Structure formats: C-alpha cells, structure tokens
Amino acid sequence: DSLLGEVLVVELNTAEPWPENATLYQPLREDQILLSDCASSLAVQAYLRMCGLPVRVCCRANAEYMSPSGKVPFIHVGNQVVSELGPIVQFTKAKGHSLSDGLDDVQRAEMKAYMELVNNMLLTAELYIQWCDDTTSSEITRPRYSSPYSWPLNHILAYQKQWEVRRKMNAIGWAGKTLEQVYEDVSQCCQALSQRLGTQPYFFNKQPTELDALVFGHLFTILTTRLTSDELSEKIKSYSNLLSFCRRIEQTYFEEQDRDVKITIKEKL
C-alpha cells in the first residue's frame, strides 16, 4: 500500500502544471555575482524561457547557502527546490516539458558530450580565472564575492571559497596550468562548438535544446562581463557564428519575450 501511495504521489507531482510563482535564486546581480555563477544562472533562465516556463529572478546575498547543493542558481517551484541546470532539466522533463524529446539516441549522446565539454572547459576556465589568477582574484573576485559581509567574515568566506576552488583545480589537474594554457583550452572549446554549430541557427538545427541554453549562458556572460583582461572574450569573438548564435537567443528568448510580456500586461491594464 505504502509503495503504491508513493507511486501515486510521484505521478501527481509530475502532472502538476507550472506554477506562476516559480522563482529562481541567484547572488546579488550588481555587486556580488561572479562570472561562473552568472553564466550558470543565465543558462537556466534561457532554458526555462525556451521551454515557455515563466520564472521570477530573485537575488539574495546568501543564495549559495540557501541552495540544497551549495551551487547556484536554484529554482523554487511549488514545494520543491532544485539546483543547477542538469537537475532542473530532469525536473522539467518530469513535469512534461522537454527541449530534447525530438532527438534520437545518437543526437542525445552527442548533446550530452558537448554539454560535458562546456562544463569541463568553459566553466572550469571561468573558475580558474576567477580564483587562480592572482590579479583577477584580488581585484574582482574576492571583493565581489565577499561584498555583502562585514569584516572579518568577508575575508574568511572569500579565502575559504578560493581554497575550495584551488583544491578542485588540483584534483582535476588544472592547478599547474598557466593562464595562456587556460585561454588555449577556451579557444579549442569554442572552435569545437563553432564547427558543430556551422550555419545552423541552433546546435540541432531549427529548435534549441538544453545545449543551446548552456552554451548561450556561458558565451553571453563572458562577452558581457568586465574582467582585468579582454583575452577571454576575444577568444569567442574569433567565431562569428557563435556571436550570431548569442544574439539570436538574446533577441528571440529575452528581448522579444520581454516585449510580449509588457504588451500583455498593458492589454490587461
């Protein structure tokens, strides 16, 4: 009986419509959020917009500590909290919203491989530049990360985070890399993405998938974030089709959707 009850509860949960008050939490936009977190948050926002699932963005100084995984962004939907793009994609699929249902098994495997490439290369490079490059770390990362907190907590939290990221870099073999080698990794990743995209509007032709949302989140954020050097964004600017891709998603899923929302609100008024 109890097992049947659990199955029914799961089925009832998956059949729920998307609530109007769904909320995405991220760190403070102006003063605190870092490049890597901003990219991850934008990827999730793009994915949800592509699915047609509205979400309110809420900025909180302690978003990282509110998250069940310690990672941002996370979404609060009904009575459930889910963090990071991968689990959020699975969560929306369980509710009947998917961008990759039209792909066959080979395409799905290819999509996952390219998503791993982005996470292993672009996201890791963002973390490396933020926390392992001394100039970026002292001038941008630590002041922003610790901005909501007063002394001495601000220093403690920033150094704790830096230690955590550097330990991760050590574990994956990135600690010994130079900044030039990291830029070269980014360049190779962009080259692979550019070749896969070709002249198509999206990676799997006419319709976007979660891969498009992930790539957009990282590339657009790198292109629009001020760092101590322009070298990271220059790597992306070498590929005109990636720039057009970013502009296409920005126009289709952010500018046009926001304009439609404003028109609808005006009509209601």
Side-chain angles (χ1 to χ4, degrees), residues 2-268:
S2 63
L3 182 62
L4 181 63
E6 282 175 23
V7 170
L8 285 171
V9 167
V10 170
E11 285 183 358
L12 282 171
N13 282 346
T14 57
E16 281 176 20
W18 191 259
E20 281 184 19
N21 63 347
T23 308
L24 177 144
Y25 288 89
Q26 65 173 39
L28 304 177
R29 190 181 282 118
E30 297 301 322
D31 313 310
Q32 181 193 21
I33 198 166
L34 302 179
L35 169 65
S36 56
D37 291 339
C38 191
S40 298
S41 180
L42 187 60
V44 170
Q45 290 176 57
Y47 171 75
L48 292 172
R49 282 171 178 251
M50 288 167 178
C51 288
L53 301 173
V55 67
R56 184 174 67 93
V57 178
C58 188
C59 299
R60 289 278 186 275
N62 62 339
E64 189 181 342
Y65 303 100
M66 291 166 67
S67 168
S69 68
K71 302 264 180 74
V72 288
F74 67 93
I75 58 170
H76 184 198
V77 180
N79 60 353
Q80 290 168 296
V81 176
V82 191
S83 62
E84 300 179 88
L85 182 63
I88 288 169
V89 168
Q90 294 308 314
F91 176 74
T92 60
K93 273 186 183 173
K95 290 198 172 296
H97 303 278
S98 172
L99 296 178
S100 51
D101 276 356
L103 303 184
D104 61 32
D105 289 346
V106 174
Q107 289 174 318
R108 199 167 280 119
E110 191 185 4
M111 179 187 73
K112 284 180 180 170
Y114 276 95
M115 289 182 80
E116 279 192 25
L117 176 73
V118 172
N119 286 324
N120 292 340
M121 288 293 192
L122 285 185
L123 178 58
T124 310
E126 289 161 7
L127 289 167
Y128 177 99
I129 291 162
Q130 282 168 189
W131 294 106
C132 302
D133 173 52
D134 290 334
T135 309
T136 309
S137 170
S138 60
E139 289 182 20
I140 295 175
T141 311
R142 286 203 304 267
R144 282 187 70 84
Y145 184 80
S146 61
S147 65
Y149 308 102
S150 54
W151 188 90
L153 186 62
N154 57 346
H155 287 291
I156 294 166
L157 291 176
Y159 280 103
Q160 190 181 330
K161 184 70 176 180
Q162 186 165 30
W163 180 81
E164 186 189 303
V165 172
R166 288 186 174 186
R167 190 179 61 167
K168 182 192 172 181
M169 293 296 154
N170 213 29
I172 61 172
W174 277 55
K177 287 195 181 195
T178 63
L179 199 51
E180 279 61 42
Q181 286 172 320
V182 171
Y183 288 139
E184 185 51 38
D185 284 343
V186 170
S187 198
Q188 285 182 5
C189 179
C190 288
Q191 186 178 3
L193 291 172
S194 176
Q195 284 176 351
R196 178 63 186 82
L197 182 65
T199 57
Q200 302 176 118
Y202 301 107
F203 283 96
F204 291 94
N205 204 5
K206 298 283 194 297
Q207 296 300 321
T209 63
E210 48 265 41
L211 171 63
D212 297 277
L214 179 66
V215 173
F216 170 75
H218 285 277
L219 297 188
F220 188 86
T221 304
I222 290 169
L223 288 165
T224 55
T225 301
R226 186 187 65 81
L227 293 171
T228 55
S229 151
D230 294 334
E231 201 149 349
L232 190 61
S233 58
E234 288 301 320
K235 297 296 177 196
I236 300 167
K237 288 176 184 172
S238 312
Y239 301 97
S240 59
N241 64 337
L242 294 181
L243 293 176
S244 302
F245 167 83
C246 287
R247 188 75 192 109
R248 184 177 303 114
I249 290 179
E250 183 193 19
Q251 284 178 326
T252 308
Y253 293 101
F254 288 84
E255 292 176 1
E256 286 177 16
Q257 277 194 9
D258 289 346
R259 191 170 65 238
D260 290 345
V261 166
K262 281 174 188 168
I263 290 166
T264 308
I265 289 168
K266 278 181 184 173
E267 282 172 357
K268 283 182 180 176

